[in-house]
């Protein structure tokens, strides 16, 4: 797995591996989410870091501003 770095507010990496407790802890801290929330994001959009970050940001914005329907 390629190493990830947070630069300019974004995550630049190929994949997020949550199969080990160490990786789950690391990514949960980096993304400021619970383990359960990170697992849900991976289930929803796959393991690509940029997709997970986008998904989590979208979820936070929806909760902050209410659903736009």
């Amino acid at each position: 797995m390629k190493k990830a770095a947070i630069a300019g507010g974004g995550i630049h990496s190929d994949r997020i591996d949550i199969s080990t407790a160490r990786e789950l802890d690391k990514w949960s801290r980096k993304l400021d989410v619970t383990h359960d929330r990170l697992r849900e994001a991976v289930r929803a959009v796959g393991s690509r870091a940029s997709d997970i970050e986008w998904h989590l940001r979208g979820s936070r914005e929806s909760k902050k501003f209410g659903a736009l329907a």
Side-chain angles (χ1 to χ4, degrees):
M1 183 168 120
K2 291 184 180 179
K3 289 189 176 186
I6 297 179
I11 294 177
H12 302 284
S13 174
D14 287 336
R15 305 285 171 192
I16 292 178
D17 177 12
I18 60 167
S19 64
T20 66
R22 183 177 177 171
E23 288 293 305
L24 187 61
D25 286 341
K26 177 181 83 173
W27 283 104
S28 291
R29 281 192 307 275
K30 283 185 178 187
L31 296 170
D32 192 29
V33 295
T34 65
H35 289 179
D36 288 338
R37 186 72 182 104
L38 181 56
R39 285 185 193 106
E40 185 279 327
V42 170
R43 279 192 302 272
V45 299
S47 63
R48 197 165 133 198
S50 59
D51 292 344
I52 292 169
E53 183 181 26
W54 180 84
H55 176 79
L56 292 170
R57 283 185 180 175
S59 296
R60 289 180 184 156
E61 292 300 314
S62 294
K63 289 178 183 173
K64 184 176 179 181
F65 296 109
L68 299 174

